[in-house]
Amino acid sequence: MAAYALTKAGARVVMLEAGPKWFASHDSKMLTPAYATPHRGASIHGRPFGEFDACDGGWEIDGEPYTRAPGTQFSWWRARMLGGRTNHWGRISLRFGPDDFRGKSIDGLGDDWPISYDDVKPYYDDVDRLIGLYGSNEGLRNHPDGIFMPPPKPRCYELLVKKASDKLGITCIPARLSIITKPLNGRQACHYCGQCNRGCSVKANFSSPDVLIAPALQTGKLTLITNAMAREVTVGPNGLATGVAYIDKNTGADEHVRARVVVLSASACETARLLLNSKSSQFPNGLANSSGTVGKYLTDTTGTGVSGFIPSMVNPISHNHDGVGGMHVYMPWWLDNKKLDFPRGYHIEVYGGTGAPGAGFGGGIQRYNGGGYGKQLKADYRKYYGATIGFDGRGEMIPNENSYCELDPATVDKFGIPVLRFHWKFDDHEINQAKHMQETFRALLTEMGATIFSPMPTRDQNYNLAAGGTIIHELGGARMGNDTKTSVVNANCQAHDVKNLFVADGSPFVSQADKNPTWTILALSWRTSDYITQQRKAGAI
Ligand SMILES: Cc1cc2nc3c(=O)[nH]c(=O)nc-3n(C[C@H](O)[C@H](O)[C@H](O)COP(=O)(O)OP(=O)(O)OC[C@H]3O[C@@H](n4cnc5c(N)ncnc54)[C@H](O)[C@@H]3O)c2cc1C
Ligand code: SF4
């Protein structure tokens, strides 16, 4: 987004990308049938979410480790390709609400942001118009409306979910996904093939290479250097950033690109790593780290899920249930948590139905019929396919002092760059929230007449709260604030210590929300880019 906004404003931009070029419009396997490969689309090395999934990378990358402090459960998903994780993300595109920027004022926990919803709203509007998303305007207080395209109709299983939600008083509305249901800026409308995680050949869903980087390249102002692994930001005698040192992965050579302004957007944790690795006599603890808070206030979204077998979905009447590769309905946070034993909230994501089957589909037929083989097994697959419905909670974690990343003093990656070591601990806030999610999802499934696949987890199991990082919404590590002693960047994502250094990913976030973060990352990145443009025009940087 920063490359898009800055080149459109007339700046010459060099983008360093650790992976190769990848454009869904050329490279996606959107319509490849599972039977076209011996693996039937199952995971392969370097594509852990499936052979056709549009992400090169994963929890582990050869020669690029990270470490965990003793007792820490944390996993870090990294993409190594142009566009990063926007190639295969879920595309749930939610605005943070007014309360999400002022959590501390409401319940005393964490910190308030130095900006409010009103500061970001114009940029959310711009992102909606430029990228496009479907949804519905509902007038909900902390779930702001947007500029939506018409949402697709609920599919059969989603109608069942809506019925159960209405019965239990849980708000259930059309989902908000950055998939266009009408043509936009030369991109075609979605044709409902349901393969969004593979990347969209017709550009109907949002991935940054086709929607942002391609137009930036068309300006003639963007120089894209791929397979370029940034090592550190370099600084001059005046304490200003002078550019970025990187390794050319094709040759192994150390290279350097000079720049008047440096914008880091390598994902929240990698940006913290780059800052910590940018050590010099002027900045012995890493760049922009006079507060000592680089790597701190790290959070992930909370998550847990439950699924079950729904007898009324067995042997369905054949009908067209085509849709997007994601939800048509979802449940935004609907309760007043002053009456609950945890702060903030969560939203509920829904899955089910009959997508194109690949390896491992159905999650294991033995869950329904105990197993089998031959003709009976085939018949059972046809009978039970599509009879599973599941719910995933995605909620807000409060930053705490035990969850952060730092440089590992003893481990370097294959380029010789020191790696991150993660520390992680959830608080009762998150664990109690997971219990509430579990109880809610079980109530919904029971309302639908389900056989639930798993027993209620216990407190000892943290109610199946997903380990840190595994929801893949890491935020923080270079948080914004007005106080230079407790934050890394100011309200415009400009480093307090280095005025020509900016951050444009999830690292400046002061808090999570009960929303997925990427729409806010995009809006803030655009806002920061506008600020850079103004400052350059004013001669201030
Ligand atoms: C399966 C999945 C589903 C998701 N679903 C949703 C969702 O529905 N809604 C939502 O809001 N969010 C979702 N997310 C999260 C979303 O993908 C991220 O919030 C978003 O991609 C973050 O953007 P980013 O640019 O900060 O980081 P990334 O997308 O990770 O991009 C970082 C880029 O920097 C490059 N890079 C990294 N290190 C270096 C280096 N040292 N030198 C040079 N280049 C480097 C990488 O190759 C990559 O291109 C999902 C994530 C995953 C994995
Ligand atoms: S479902 Fe729509 S947006 Fe997703 S890959 Fe298919 S055509 Fe593209």
Side-chain angles (χ1 to χ4, degrees):
M1 175 57 92
Y4 174 88
L6 289 168
T7 52
K8 289 282 178 181
R12 286 190 301 134
V13 175
V14 176
M15 179 191 284
L16 298 178
E17 165 51 53
K21 265 189 195 167
W22 201 90
F23 289 88
S25 52
H26 296 108
D27 303 311
S28 161
K29 296 278 187 288
M30 182 176 79
L31 295 180
T32 306
Y35 59 75
T37 120
H39 295 96
R40 303 290 191 264
S43 318
I44 54 169
H45 185 66
R47 286 269 169 111
F49 282 0
E51 187 176 353
F52 304 131
D53 184 60
C55 188
D56 293 325
W59 301 116
E60 308 295 336
I61 297 179
D62 292 342
E64 297 189 47
Y66 54 92
T67 61
R68 304 170 180 93
T72 283
Q73 289 189 321
F74 183 90
S75 293
W76 188 18
W77 183 279
R78 288 164 296 167
R80 286 284 179 267
M81 66 202 297
L82 188 67
R85 294 170 289 177
T86 70
N87 292 304
H88 76 146
W89 68 311
R91 297 175 175 90
I92 300 166
S93 302
L94 304 173
R95 297 178 180 209
F96 279 27
D99 290 356
D100 301 323
F101 293 91
R102 48 186 293 274
K104 185 175 185 183
S105 297
I106 296 171
D107 60 23
L109 297 168
D111 265 300
D112 288 345
W113 294 54
I115 54 175
S116 70
Y117 175 72
D118 290 338
D119 293 310
V120 193
K121 182 186 180 301
Y123 291 95
Y124 280 129
D125 289 349
D126 286 345
V127 174
D128 286 5
R129 282 191 209 97
L130 175 71
I131 295 178
L133 77 169
Y134 67 73
S136 58
N137 287 321
E138 303 281 342
L140 298 170
R141 200 185 57 79
N142 198 40
H143 308 285
D145 291 333
I147 303 162
F148 296 123
M149 293 192 179
K153 286 183 185 159
R155 291 159 286 203
C156 182
Y157 73 94
E158 288 166 322
L159 288 170
L160 275 186
V161 167
K162 168 81 178 140
K163 206 167 137 193
S165 307
D166 287 352
K167 197 82 183 286
L168 298 185
I170 299 172
T171 309
C172 181
I173 60 171
R176 297 171 174 182
L177 267 64
S178 45
I179 294 171
I180 52 175
T181 54
K182 290 176 172 179
L184 177 71
N185 297 333
R187 296 162 53 206
Q188 287 180 39
C190 174
H191 55 250
Y192 302 131
C193 72
Q195 302 300 333
C196 290
N197 71 308
R198 298 177 176 199
C200 184
S201 305
V202 301
K203 309 183 206 173
N205 66 26
F206 170 66
S207 62
S208 59
D210 276 310
V211 181
L212 298 174
I213 297 172
L217 285 167
Q218 275 162 17
T219 64
K221 302 262 179 198
L222 176 63
T223 305
L224 181 58
I225 307 181
T226 51
N227 293 312
M229 183 74 190
R231 177 199 292 279
E232 66 180 290
V233 179
T234 51
V235 285
N238 57 3
L240 293 178
T242 53
V244 177
Y246 68 96
I247 292 122
D248 179 336
K249 287 165 69 178
N250 299 316
T251 62
D254 278 311
E255 303 285 355
H256 182 257
V257 60
R258 283 189 303 116
R260 278 212 177 87
V261 173
V262 173
V263 181
L264 296 180
S265 42
S267 81
C269 299
E270 184 76 19
T271 284
R273 181 186 179 204
L274 279 163
L275 291 173
L276 291 170
N277 273 319
S278 303
K279 286 183 185 163
S280 59
S281 52
Q282 293 171 83
F283 300 102
N285 299 322
L287 198 55
N289 196 22
S290 62
S291 65
T293 62
V294 171
K296 304 282 169 65
Y297 307 104
L298 194 62
T299 55
D300 187 19
T301 292
T302 57
T304 187
V306 186
S307 60
F309 162 57
I310 313 288
S312 60
M313 297 290 288
V314 168
N315 279 332
I317 299 164
S318 292
H319 65 284
N320 182 352
H321 26 203
D322 288 354
V324 305
M327 309 178 299
H328 292 190
V329 301
Y330 91 117
M331 290 89 120
W333 179 238
W334 71 105
L335 291 172
D336 176 359
N337 52 21
K338 288 198 195 84
K339 298 172 191 152
L340 298 167
D341 63 354
F342 59 90
R344 317 292 167 92
Y346 60 89
H347 74 265
I348 308 176
E349 301 179 3
V350 179
Y351 61 89
T354 54
F361 79 90
I365 191 77
Q366 73 283 358
R367 296 197 296 175
Y368 305 92
N369 67 352
Y373 57 90
K375 272 193 177 167
Q376 184 59 46
L377 180 63
K378 284 189 188 173
D380 282 350
Y381 270 123
R382 291 195 178 95
K383 180 172 165 189
Y384 293 117
Y385 188 45
T388 297
I389 294 182
F391 298 100
D392 282 323
R394 296 287 180 259
E396 178 164 354
M397 170 188 177
I398 308 289
N400 67 58
E401 61 181 18
N402 298 309
S403 300
Y404 62 96
C405 60
E406 60 183 353
L407 290 183
D408 187 311
T411 313
V412 295
D413 66 12
K414 64 182 173 191
F415 310 108
I417 307 173
V419 308
L420 286 180
R421 176 167 63 188
F422 289 95
H423 299 250
W424 201 263
K425 197 157 183 273
F426 282 121
D427 209 320
D428 280 350
H429 303 315
E430 290 80 36
I431 296 167
N432 292 346
Q433 195 188 66
K435 176 169 183 268
H436 194 272
M437 291 181 189
Q438 285 282 339
E439 288 166 349
T440 304
F441 305 160
R442 285 163 197 279
L444 279 163
L445 286 162
T446 304
E447 182 61 36
M448 287 187 277
T451 304
I452 298 172
F453 287 133
S454 55
M456 175 74 190
T458 62
R459 164 78 214 203
D460 288 346
Q461 296 165 315
N462 281 356
Y463 301 104
N464 281 359
L465 176 62
T470 59
I471 305 299
I472 323 184
H473 289 167
E474 327 82 66
L475 298 175
R479 74 167 182 173
M480 64 162 81
N482 294 326
D483 185 347
T484 56
K485 293 198 181 63
T486 59
S487 59
V488 177
V489 297
N490 67 19
N492 294 304
C493 300
Q494 178 181 33
H496 290 305
D497 303 344
V498 187
K499 70 177 181 178
N500 66 341
L501 176 65
F502 295 81
V503 176
D505 51 25
S507 53
F509 278 50
V510 178
S511 63
Q512 291 266 350
D514 51 69
K515 333 283 193 294
N516 315 48
T518 308
W519 221 238
T520 304
I521 294 176
L522 288 161
L524 288 178
S525 178
W526 201 336
R527 183 172 175 271
T528 294
S529 304
D530 275 4
Y531 177 76
I532 293 171
T533 305
Q534 289 158 13
Q535 291 289 295
R536 282 286 297 143
K537 282 187 179 150
I541 50 174

